[in-house]
Amino acid sequence: MNVQNLAAFDPFADEGDPLGTDNDVGSQQNYIHIRIQQRNGRKTLTTLQGLPKEYDAKKLLKAFKKEFACNGTLVDDEEAGQVIQLQGDQRSKISTFLVEEGIPKATIKIHGF
Amino acid sequence: MSEEPLFDPSLKKRKKKQVAFHEDPLGADADPTTPAPATIDDTTTNGDVVDMGPKTAHELMKANGDAGDAANGAEGAEKAEEDDLKAMFGDLKKKKKKKKDIPLDLEGDVSGTSTPIAAPAAPAAAATEDLDFSDMKKKKKKKVANFEAFEKELNDAKVKDDEDEDVPDGLPEEIDEAELGDDPFATGAGGAGVVSIDAGAEPWLKSDRDYTYPELLQRFYLQLHAANPALLNSSGKRYTIAPPQLAREGNKKTIFANVSDICRRMHRQPEHVIQYMFAEMGTTGSVDGSGRLVIKGRFQQKQVEHVLRRYIVEYVTCKTCKSPDTLLTKENRIFFLACESCGSRRSVNTIKTGFQAQVGKRSRNRTG
């Protein structure tokens, strides 16, 4: 792009492109993100994003709902793909559940306060 | 605790490999200052402990120190250790096995803490420990604290770290230079308390007794710090930040009053911090006229503090040396964290707001 051409910094032009795409450096793609959102009052919402393809989100949701005794839904997002939404703050429970199922802990990121 | 069974196999292996190496110094020195008997009993009762005992880095260090005492008279601690190592190898075949118990009590501690930290993980723990908001008030008062108090504090902290680290130290590969350098810090402080030894005024000068390990260790560190004053400052300084001041505005908004102050302390752009906070907390907000941050949603101080802590770990402290003395620069849409003290430079994650679920009325969303 024009701006990049103008920039003085360009010792390794080849590197520029792969780094430029957001997916490569500092990407969040490999992580499973567990987030929390505040609703009204004391209510919260937990979202799980970035589940690897080999897991069936629908079945996982069913297991979650049964295990955590909460309701939940599966949302299709154009950016994030399939996202599991659960009622209440289920972050730590989700994390332990996933770890027990054999997902490496390093790939799980818990966000929120 | 639960980890111990896991460690066992490696420990056994280790023992086979290293038995001679470790035992030599112990046998050689037959140190009167550190009698063994009581400890031997303990070790025998649980076999694992016996295996682990002599292998910890700091045990090794200690052994080295003792042997050094025996072997070379008045040489500096460092030199003595080196010589000691050589002597150890030379003596290998002659020496009989002797057990030392020093690590025993440490193990007890470890089981209490239940968080054995592997060498790579330790830095992280240290980092989190460094970011202590609660200490803030104390710190403020103490800012003028003198060197000695500072060092004492540092030693205490190190002791704590050491206890945590000791079990992993027992594992095979981890006795490297860094560990050897780190570990004794704690033992010296723990064993000897804080005995002030000035150069030329060592207590052993008057008598012809053997030097105790802690004494030599202290001597070593005194010399080390005398030679590199920067070491103390970089390693011992705890990174403190004023606790966030939160106030509720109305029912649904929280005001974060001292955000600009905190950002200044961290040397970060408020926009970056705020962006991170919003992404993490899954909310939105704005900055009002007087520089305060208005966050949508109810948040407690503890929660905001937690988020800030993670921000610091991710975007302020250097991943290599833990120093908070870093610069965040943006190049080609990527943020780089450049450390001022160790010179490392690495890219950091971009802040991304993840999926935001629909909260609130749908109709409001459609119109806006």
Side-chain angles (χ1 to χ4, degrees), chain B residues 66-85:
Chain B
D66 288 342
D69 296 349
N72 334 327
E75 294 198 13
E78 275 176 290
K79 193 102 193 271
E81 278 168 19
E82 278 176 25
D83 287 349
D84 196 34
L85 274 171

Side-chain angles (χ1 to χ4, degrees), chain B residues 269-281:
Chain B
Q269 295 296 318
E271 292 79 30
H272 191 253
V273 179
I274 291 168
Q275 193 192 354
Y276 178 82
M277 288 182 66
F278 285 162
E280 275 298 290
M281 302 194 292

